[in-house]
Amino acid sequence: MNLTLDHIQKSFGDKEVLKDISFSAESGKAFGLLGRNGAGKTTTIRILMNVFPANAGTVFLDGRPIDYDHVSFGYLPEERGLYPKKTIIEQLVYLAQLKGLSKKDSVASVDWWLDRLDMSKYRNKRLDTLSKGNQQKIQLITALAHDPQIVILDEPFSGLDPVNAMLLEDVVKEEIAKGKLVLFSSHQMSYIEEFCDSIAIINQGRVAVTGELSAIKHAYIRDKLVVKTSDPQPILQDFGDMCSKSEQGDLLIRMKSPDDKQEVMKHLVENYDIDRVSVFEPSLNDIFVEYAGDSK
């Protein structure tokens, strides 16, 4: 299954929110949709889910305009929207029925997910008696209980402690392994980097970069060296503004050109006490800052 957003545009009155959004995602993989607050991620998701239409552009599924009558979505919104005074089982079964399951199948699916997420003991409790993390797990069940083909998770790890975050990681991996199309939107880059094969970074209503994360990293300009040394001061002094300390304590040297790599590495090894020198490999956070910054 291939999902493609093709030149999506959206305005609200005189405000143009999405100017030209195009990207593709495949089932059996996770896709990361990234951007700063206000970049257009939520509007993109709402158009994808047919909450409201685009002014221009088309959403395709396997090369044809998507037929929303025959495609099921599971959505975990960033802003939670369950009923605090209702019992867990009551509202989960009700919401599963709204997604097309029978009463019997809804109860069976909800009970399976409550057990999978170690939440069965809260089955008959009111939502507002649960911790924030456990409420998040209940919200996740609303997105998955009806076995959707496309799963959209907006800040799914928000409020989860490390143990529950690991549990959610396992669930996400299981959904991907089932051949679901999983779309992440998050500011927690470590999770996106762990799960997502491909990404799109939206900046001011346009896609600043999209594609396989490995290819985007490889295309990142390779004009920096990482130097590990027990004696950094001589290098800091000699390289001046070209050299700085990284958060990890290593030295980061920005070269005038990527073509200077071999010459600078040779100079470092021959003239300083070097433990290791390598080309700087960007993290997803580095790429995000590069493409989602104000200068783009």
Side-chain angles (χ1 to χ4, degrees), residues 141-154:
I141 294 175
T142 69
L144 300 177
H146 58 293
D147 194 26
Q149 297 161 278
I150 300 173
V151 180
I152 300 174
L153 305 174
D154 195 351

Side-chain angles (χ1 to χ4, degrees), residues 33 95 111 131 170 196 224 259:
L33 184 63
L95 291 169
D111 278 333
S131 68
D170 290 341
C196 296
K224 303 184 192 73
D259 296 335

Side-chain angles (χ1 to χ4, degrees), residues 213-226:
L213 182 53
S214 59
I216 293 171
K217 284 187 173 184
H218 187 73
Y220 194 88
I221 184 168
R222 302 170 72 82
D223 63 347
K224 303 184 192 73
L225 296 176
V226 179

Side-chain angles (χ1 to χ4, degrees), residues 253-268:
I253 295 176
R254 181 186 290 271
M255 299 173 288
K256 294 180 180 179
S257 167
D259 296 335
D260 297 338
K261 176 180 64 178
Q262 297 297 337
E263 180 181 345
V264 175
M265 292 176 77
K266 184 174 183 291
H267 175 77
L268 286 165

Side-chain angles (χ1 to χ4, degrees), residues 34-36 155 186-194 196 199-201 209 213-214 216-217 220 224 246-248 252 280-294 296:
L34 310 176
R36 296 169 64 180
E155 297 293 352
S186 179
H187 290 106
Q188 294 174 281
M189 298 298 160
S190 59
Y191 289 117
I192 297 292
E193 197 156 13
E194 176 181 355
C196 296
I199 64 166
I201 297 177
V209 64
L213 182 53
S214 59
I216 293 171
K217 284 187 173 184
Y220 194 88
K224 303 184 192 73
S246 71
E247 294 180 359
Q248 292 73 32
L252 192 63
F280 172 76
E281 295 292 340
S283 66
L284 180 54
N285 189 71
D286 297 315
I287 293 168
F288 181 83
V289 170
E290 175 76 16
Y291 285 100
D294 291 327
K296 290 285 179 180

Side-chain angles (χ1 to χ4, degrees), residues 42-104:
T42 300
T43 301
T44 300
I45 289 171
R46 289 174 177 171
I47 289 173
L48 169 60
M49 294 181 61
N50 201 34
V51 175
F52 46 65
N55 295 119
T58 307
V59 179
F60 292 99
L61 189 64
D62 291 334
R64 297 181 178 181
I66 189 169
D67 182 353
Y68 288 100
D69 292 332
H70 295 90
V71 178
S72 58
F73 286 85
Y75 180 42
L76 175 69
E78 181 177 8
E79 298 297 330
R80 312 312 176 206
L82 296 181
Y83 303 99
K85 304 300 182 183
K86 297 290 185 180
T87 64
I88 301 302
I89 186 63
E90 180 182 4
Q91 58 185 309
L92 287 180
V93 168
Y94 170 70
L95 291 169
Q97 287 181 274
L98 288 182
K99 297 293 180 63
L101 296 188
S102 67
K103 177 71 174 291
K104 179 180 178 181

Side-chain angles (χ1 to χ4, degrees), residues 15-34:
K15 184 175 177 58
E16 190 178 20
V17 178
L18 302 182
K19 301 169 185 176
D20 185 17
I21 300 295
S22 296
F23 61 80
S24 294
E26 296 181 10
S27 58
K29 298 180 179 180
F31 185 93
L33 184 63
L34 310 176

Side-chain angles (χ1 to χ4, degrees), residues 99-285:
K99 297 293 180 63
L101 296 188
S102 67
K103 177 71 174 291
K104 179 180 178 181
D105 289 342
S106 295
V107 173
S109 179
V110 166
D111 278 333
W112 188 91
W113 277 107
L114 287 170
D115 181 65
R116 177 68 184 87
L117 296 177
D118 193 27
M119 295 292 291
S120 295
K121 55 184 171 290
Y122 301 110
R123 185 181 191 273
N124 297 305
K125 301 287 187 182
R126 286 189 349 189
L127 184 72
D128 60 3
T129 65
L130 273 59
S131 68
K132 182 179 179 181
N134 282 336
Q135 289 186 34
Q136 174 78 333
K137 290 161 74 175
I138 296 301
Q139 184 91 46
L140 178 65
I141 294 175
T142 69
L144 300 177
H146 58 293
D147 194 26
Q149 297 161 278
I150 300 173
V151 180
I152 300 174
L153 305 174
D154 195 351
E155 297 293 352
F157 295 95
S158 176
L160 296 182
D161 60 51
V163 173
N164 279 325
M166 288 180 63
L167 177 59
L168 179 54
E169 287 180 38
D170 290 341
V171 168
V172 171
K173 289 175 182 176
E174 289 166 7
E175 292 298 295
I176 295 170
K178 291 176 185 176
K180 304 292 182 70
L181 194 156
V182 179
L183 192 151
F184 273 96
S185 179
S186 179
H187 290 106
Q188 294 174 281
M189 298 298 160
S190 59
Y191 289 117
I192 297 292
E193 197 156 13
E194 176 181 355
F195 286 114
C196 296
D197 299 279
S198 300
I199 64 166
I201 297 177
I202 298 177
N203 188 7
Q204 298 180 8
R206 300 183 187 276
V207 174
V209 64
T210 186
E212 291 187 2
L213 182 53
S214 59
I216 293 171
K217 284 187 173 184
H218 187 73
Y220 194 88
I221 184 168
R222 302 170 72 82
D223 63 347
K224 303 184 192 73
L225 296 176
V226 179
V227 180
K228 187 174 184 63
T229 176
S230 58
D231 186 18
Q233 287 307 316
I235 302 174
L236 284 165
Q237 181 176 340
D238 293 348
F239 279 81
D241 293 341
M242 294 174 60
C243 186
S244 61
K245 276 194 173 182
S246 71
E247 294 180 359
Q248 292 73 32
D250 297 332
L251 298 182
L252 192 63
I253 295 176
R254 181 186 290 271
M255 299 173 288
K256 294 180 180 179
S257 167
D259 296 335
D260 297 338
K261 176 180 64 178
Q262 297 297 337
E263 180 181 345
V264 175
M265 292 176 77
K266 184 174 183 291
H267 175 77
L268 286 165
V269 171
E270 290 179 349
N271 292 278
Y272 304 96
D273 181 14
I274 301 297
D275 295 324
R276 187 184 73 244
V277 58
S278 59
V279 176
F280 172 76
E281 295 292 340
S283 66
L284 180 54
N285 189 71

